[in-house]
Amino acid sequence: DVSDKSGEPSHSSGSEAEMKVEFAPLNIPLRRRLQTAAVVQWIFSFLALAQCCLAAFVLICLSDWWMVGVLYAGWLYLDKDTPTCGGRRSNWVRSWSMWRYFRDYFPISLVKTVDLDASCNYLFGFHPHGVLVAGAFGNFCTEASGFSKLFPGLTPYLLMLPFWFRVPFFRDYIMFGGLVSSEKASASYLLSRPGGGNVAVVAVGGAPESLEARPGALTLQLLQRKGFIKLALKHGAWLVPVFSFGENELFDQMENPTGSALRRVQDHLQRIMGVALPLFHARGVFQYSFGLLPYRKPIHTIVGRPIPVDQNSSPTKEDVDSLHLRYIEGLMQLFEENKGKFGINEDKHLSFI
């Protein structure tokens, strides 16, 4: 198994690399097989688990167990507000040993730059979105990277599209990890809690940014993203820029430059469905040449310095623009201070659209 330092095979150039399928050796250590299995289930959860849960619910309703389906439907109605009211996290699920294998596959690390006061509420802006926000999931939806030890007294919640919380069974599973709805009411609930200690984690670039995610990409959708700034002002939540080095290195993506036919279709579907459909690919389970598993590339998620925010229940456009500019400056400073540690050349800089 000829691999580089990230655990991926070295790729040949030219037509030989295009024609040859490089299979994984048979003598891979058990721990690496378990790491791959953990990532396979994660990919399955992202791409197919919701559909399987919906199909299971329909089958239950059409079977002799239909009363179970009726009772669960009643539960869904009674529980409909939970995803916008802090969810239903499970420390047991967040601490599964499977997540440690998931962490070690890449590997993923969480880096603290300063201590955060647990008496405040925080809004973490996570960048970049990447294809499947692997760093955000590994660091904030599991305890694999030790969030609770690094930031004692703080409880992280990763915001996710509301659509997924309408899928039977699946909604309960993702809430166990600390995922909550990305509706405005959900973020407001977290950021307005007295006593502090809540962290709302927002992938600011959202679904559109995933269409830009490919190795080497440093373009962030941020210039027109000001809703999270307004929320922070209204609730007096401190802003914290977070940059995840390596997030865009996990997958290749079909070329889809702005204005291309593929990009127009993707943008249209994103406006209709609310979710982006990046056509990504990387490696497989038993071979390294193609598939939907991410490459074994390290992810280093750096939590930056907090930006103090005074509560303003009626912020003006000038207030929002001023804080937005401070946030961009803080994010740029975080990137520039750390890029050299993670293999990014000095002449590379973030760009914003």
Side-chain angles (χ1 to χ4, degrees), residues 13 67 110 124 176:
S13 60
M67 184 55 69
L110 182 64
F124 282 15
F176 286 155

Side-chain angles (χ1 to χ4, degrees), residues 67-123:
M67 184 55 69
V68 174
V70 172
L71 291 173
Y72 185 80
W75 162 253
L76 283 179
Y77 177 77
L78 295 174
D79 197 53
K80 64 181 183 299
D81 293 331
T82 299
T84 60
C85 297
R88 188 182 298 107
R89 68 196 299 112
S90 166
N91 289 330
W92 175 66
V93 172
R94 289 171 55 87
S95 300
W96 281 349
S97 59
M98 174 176 64
W99 303 130
R100 294 194 292 275
Y101 289 113
F102 172 82
R103 173 200 65 196
D104 293 340
Y105 173 92
F106 298 95
I108 295 173
S109 64
L110 182 64
V111 180
K112 177 177 72 172
T113 55
V114 297
D115 292 328
L116 297 181
D117 184 357
S119 66
C120 298
N121 290 320
Y122 296 91
L123 198 161

Side-chain angles (χ1 to χ4, degrees), residues 46-48 51 129-132 161 163-164 206-214 251-256 260-281 292:
F46 253 97
L47 302 182
Q51 295 88 325
H129 184 286
V131 172
L132 296 179
L161 289 173
F163 168 81
W164 299 113
E209 194 172 272
S210 68
L211 299 178
E212 305 283 350
R214 51 178 45 85
F251 298 95
D252 293 312
Q253 190 172 164
M254 288 186 63
E255 290 297 325
N256 59 343
S260 65
L262 175 57
R263 188 58 171 268
R264 288 197 298 270
V265 171
Q266 289 174 320
D267 289 340
H268 183 66
L269 290 175
Q270 194 273 325
R271 286 191 294 269
I272 294 174
M273 302 167 59
V275 295
L277 296 174
L279 298 182
F280 63 91
H281 57 94
L292 296 179

